[in-house]
Amino acid sequence: MAGTIVLTLPDWFSDHLRGFADPLDSPEARMDLVLSLAQRNVDEGSGGPFAAGVFDEQGGLIAAGVNLVVPSLAPVAHAEIVAIAHAGQTLGSWQVGLAGGYELTSSTEPCAMCLGAVPWSGVKRLVCGASDSDARAVGFDEGHKPADWVEHLTSIGIEVQRDVRRQAAVAVLQAYAAGGGAIYNGANSEEARPDA
């Protein structure tokens, strides 16, 4: 049994980020960067149609991630998880939130797993593009999430902004599905069960 787990960002990733001004001073500008990563991940065939970024209070990019589930053979390698892990590595701390009031911008609302990671990441703001229902519409099982997840995050001090560039985010999901991209759901998910 191997003793190392490695998540490797695609070869194009760093060069792609160089094309963006820093800081990005609006949620829309930050979402545009994240959506460009998601679309590039689809175009390059390097993973699923999801991306996320961790930004500082001035809109500077701290770290980003794309979905690496299929190429890494890691079911937990969702874009938000990768971005949060990348932020910890970049900042040199597992306590990402202690370094500032960071924002997590995600191309799609978080699935059940990634929703759990949001408070633990320490971010103070979550910005979402496509909705949970948009991801489900192309076949992804987002897992069981409480109906009041936005209210819960707000109650613990995490601001949530939804539907930022939603149509553009939906277009990335739809392009991936239309192009025959793998719709990966766990064996126990509702989508994976023949009787669902």
Side-chain angles (χ1 to χ4, degrees):
M1 178 180 350
T4 303
I5 298 169
V6 176
L7 294 177
T8 303
L9 291 163
D11 292 340
W12 54 262
F13 190 82
S14 294
D15 285 340
H16 185 87
L17 290 176
R18 287 190 193 102
F20 287 85
D22 198 21
L24 300 167
D25 60 2
S26 71
E28 292 79 13
R30 294 186 289 277
M31 183 61 72
D32 287 342
L33 183 152
V34 166
L35 292 178
S36 76
L37 289 169
Q39 185 62 59
R40 182 81 182 263
N41 212 32
V42 171
D43 293 344
E44 297 284 346
S46 49
F50 306 99
V54 177
F55 297 89
D56 66 24
E57 294 171 278
Q58 290 75 43
L61 181 66
I62 300 299
V66 292
N67 182 285
L68 300 172
V69 169
V70 173
S72 68
L73 306 177
V76 298
H78 290 202
E80 296 92 335
I81 301 297
V82 173
I84 292 165
H86 190 199
Q89 295 283 307
T90 299
L91 296 168
S93 174
W94 54 270
Q95 296 178 306
V96 172
L98 292 183
Y102 293 153
E103 171 184 295
L104 176 64
T105 299
S106 180
S107 63
T108 303
E109 290 177 353
C111 70
M113 177 182 68
C114 295
L115 178 60
V118 170
W120 284 2
S121 73
V123 299
K124 296 298 182 196
R125 189 163 191 247
L126 171 65
V127 177
C128 308
S131 70
D132 178 280
S133 61
D134 297 327
R136 291 179 193 273
V138 299
F140 286 102
D141 179 357
E142 297 296 275
H144 176 73
K145 299 190 315 192
D148 65 346
W149 68 270
V150 172
E151 292 79 8
H152 172 69
L153 290 181
T154 302
S155 76
I156 60 172
I158 301 172
E159 178 189 348
V160 178
Q161 185 175 359
R162 301 164 87 180
D163 300 331
V164 175
R165 300 275 200 250
R166 181 177 178 189
Q167 290 309 311
V170 169
V172 176
L173 295 172
Q174 292 173 340
Y176 178 79
I183 305 295
Y184 39 85
N185 293 315
N188 296 320
S189 73
E190 291 179 17
E191 293 295 323
R193 284 184 271 151
D195 60 345

